[in-house]
Amino acid sequence: MKKFLTLTLLAGAAVLLAACGKLNFDSGSSSTSGTKTGSYQTTGTVDNSMYQGVIKNGRYQTSSARGLTLQQNDQGENNFNIKSMESGLENLAKAQFPTDKYSFEEGQLLSTATAKSWLKREAKDNKDGLNPVDNGKTDPDTRNPIYLQQILEQDFMVQDGNSMKLGGIAIALGMNKVDYYTKTEYGAQYQTEISDEVIKKQGEAIAAKVVARLRAMSKVPNNIPIIVGIYKNAEQDSLVGGVYTEQTTSKTGTNLGDWKKLDQQNEVLPVVSDHKAINSTVANDFSNFTNQVKGFFPTLAGITAQAHYEGGNLAGMNITVNTQFYGLTEIQSFTQYISTAASKYLPSGVPIEITIQSTQGMQAFVSRSSGDKGFYTHVFGSY
């Protein structure tokens, strides 16, 4: 719940863009107090699992390209990719940049113009493009696809006397599993499938170029660590985001360390059609929870879950309950029952967030951290 109450502290955490298209702009816990050093201060945090945000000259430092999205062919982005890329990169960074020694700052190095040029295709008028030259072909198997769809920057600051300085950088490269395109403007949509082997090869090559370009910037010391994570986007219509497939750390200069393979999987429950659940025990636990809740409150519109696995083991669940209840007392009773059923039927030892919502918006929230036994509940009221 602490994480839920402070999500806004790290909202829009970096330069987040998507390649090839048009621009769109979308416009009860205790916390530790922030520290103030010279022109810098920090936001404070509710627990040591979260970074403190950086405030400079009294203002939170947003990215210069905050809210910028380059959409492909007016088809729109999968927002689950955007959210999971941000949270996943922060989790990768925590192993290198501990939350008790580093503070978080949105990406300040990549300007809007720089990031746009990097994400586009290489061309005569765009030598910095990280995607391949357009070979003029439109067949799915012979055209040069867009490999790099997004780039995300997160900066990590350290104390430096009476000021703060850049202590580390984390970069996510969002690689396409499927590249969607049209042969003519506003025409039918086609797609090029990209294999895991090609994603790995292209992602590692792009990572080397990105690190070299970052090191060439005057604001980037030669000896601060730069983490690079390769993120494989989920398909456009997926109800869950993609996953990180590998990561590396450049400790100094332009040298990349060894690539570490990451075993991450995501799925939506209940599984549909002929898909097989990643973990049948988890799927059965969720099914029992769902049946119990629906049996008690039969007018529910539906219950779905996003399950995240690392190393084959369940690492967390996000559950959405769509309800038709509108009365406050109904929601209160329903939320209490959800908490009881979750404690009895859902897997233990992993963080779980349950959002109860209707067409009027979020009505209640139920959550449990990985180390907790019971669930925290909150019903949103009104005056």
Side-chain angles (χ1 to χ4, degrees):
M1 181 58 194
K2 293 176 180 178
K3 178 180 178 182
F4 171 73
L5 290 176
T6 55
L7 285 177
T8 54
L9 292 178
L10 300 181
V15 175
L16 182 56
L17 302 110
C20 201
K22 74 173 187 178
L23 300 179
N24 285 311
F25 286 86
D26 301 322
S27 304
S29 297
S30 60
S31 63
T32 60
S33 58
T35 58
K36 186 171 183 178
T37 306
S39 61
Y40 288 91
Q41 67 183 96
T42 57
T43 58
T45 183
V46 294
D47 60 44
N48 58 14
S49 69
M50 297 181 64
Y51 287 105
Q52 296 192 58
V54 171
I55 298 174
K56 184 178 180 181
N57 295 323
R59 298 179 66 88
Y60 178 76
Q61 298 301 287
T62 60
S63 165
S64 63
R66 182 181 182 183
L68 176 64
T69 303
L70 285 166
Q71 295 185 349
Q72 286 197 82
N73 309 315
D74 298 320
Q75 297 299 320
E77 296 299 329
N78 183 334
N79 287 330
F80 293 121
N81 280 328
I82 295 173
K83 292 179 181 179
S84 69
M85 181 185 292
E86 288 194 15
S87 61
L89 184 61
E90 186 182 340
N91 287 335
L92 294 182
K94 287 177 181 178
Q96 180 73 46
F97 311 125
T99 58
D100 61 343
K101 296 181 180 179
Y102 292 81
S103 297
F104 177 92
E105 186 174 53
E106 291 190 22
Q108 300 295 305
L109 299 171
L110 301 184
S111 67
T112 302
T114 296
K116 282 172 58 180
S117 67
W118 288 13
L119 285 168
K120 291 181 179 178
R121 290 185 182 275
E122 181 182 354
K124 290 182 179 180
D125 60 349
N126 186 41
K127 299 296 184 181
D128 291 333
L130 292 172
N131 278 301
V133 174
D134 186 351
N135 61 7
K137 299 181 180 180
T138 58
D139 183 82
D141 297 325
T142 59
R143 63 185 287 271
N144 283 339
I146 295 293
Y147 295 114
L148 179 66
Q149 179 71 18
Q150 301 106 350
I151 185 168
L152 172 67
E153 175 199 349
Q154 295 177 349
D155 297 339
F156 298 88
M157 309 294 286
V158 293
Q159 204 73 32
D160 182 30
N162 291 326
S163 185
M164 299 185 79
K165 66 179 181 179
L166 183 65
I169 304 168
I171 295 288
L173 302 176
M175 307 296 292
N176 280 328
K177 177 180 179 180
V178 179
D179 176 34
Y180 301 91
Y181 70 102
T182 59
K183 297 181 180 181
T184 60
E185 189 174 10
Y186 307 118
Q189 180 175 267
Y190 298 85
Q191 58 188 55
T192 297
E193 306 281 343
I194 303 174
S195 68
D196 289 347
E197 292 75 16
V198 172
I199 290 175
K200 175 179 173 65
K201 178 181 178 181
Q202 293 291 333
E204 292 180 359
I206 292 172
K209 294 179 181 179
V210 169
V211 169
R213 293 178 186 185
L214 288 173
R215 292 293 189 197
M217 294 180 178
S218 59
K219 294 182 179 180
V220 179
N222 195 52
N223 60 349
I224 68 166
I226 300 177
I227 297 172
V228 183
I230 304 299
Y231 180 88
K232 180 171 66 174
N233 282 315
E235 294 91 335
Q236 230 171 46
D237 59 353
S238 174
L239 297 177
V240 68
V243 295
Y244 282 90
T245 59
E246 56 180 336
Q247 72 170 102
T248 188
T249 302
S250 170
K251 295 183 178 180
T252 182
T254 59
N255 296 323
L256 295 182
D258 294 334
W259 284 93
K260 176 184 177 183
K261 183 178 180 180
L262 301 173
D263 182 11
Q264 297 184 358
Q265 294 173 284
N266 290 334
E267 72 175 347
V268 177
L269 297 174
V271 293
V272 295
S273 63
D274 59 348
H275 289 280
K276 183 179 179 181
I278 295 174
N279 186 307
S280 58
T281 300
V282 173
N284 289 335
D285 288 345
F286 176 74
S287 178
N288 291 334
F289 166 78
T290 299
N291 291 336
Q292 185 71 17
V293 173
K294 286 185 175 180
F296 194 75
F297 291 89
T299 59
L300 291 180
I303 304 176
T304 59
Q306 296 175 325
H308 177 67
Y309 298 85
E310 295 186 3
N313 298 314
L314 182 68
M317 294 183 75
N318 290 336
I319 298 174
T320 300
V321 180
N322 291 299
T323 176
Q324 298 178 22
F325 299 120
Y326 297 105
L328 178 62
T329 55
E330 288 178 300
I331 289 297
Q332 289 175 336
S333 297
F334 181 63
T335 302
Q336 292 168 358
Y337 188 79
I338 284 281
S339 175
T340 300
S343 297
K344 183 176 181 179
Y345 294 102
L346 294 179
S348 60
V350 297
I352 294 177
E353 295 181 354
I354 304 174
T355 301
I356 302 169
Q357 63 184 28
S358 71
T359 56
Q360 295 181 334
M362 185 183 297
Q363 296 180 315
F365 184 79
V366 179
S367 72
R368 183 192 66 196
S369 300
S370 57
D372 296 339
K373 293 183 179 180
F375 281 81
Y376 176 92
T377 66
H378 179 80
V379 176
F380 295 94
S382 181
Y383 291 106

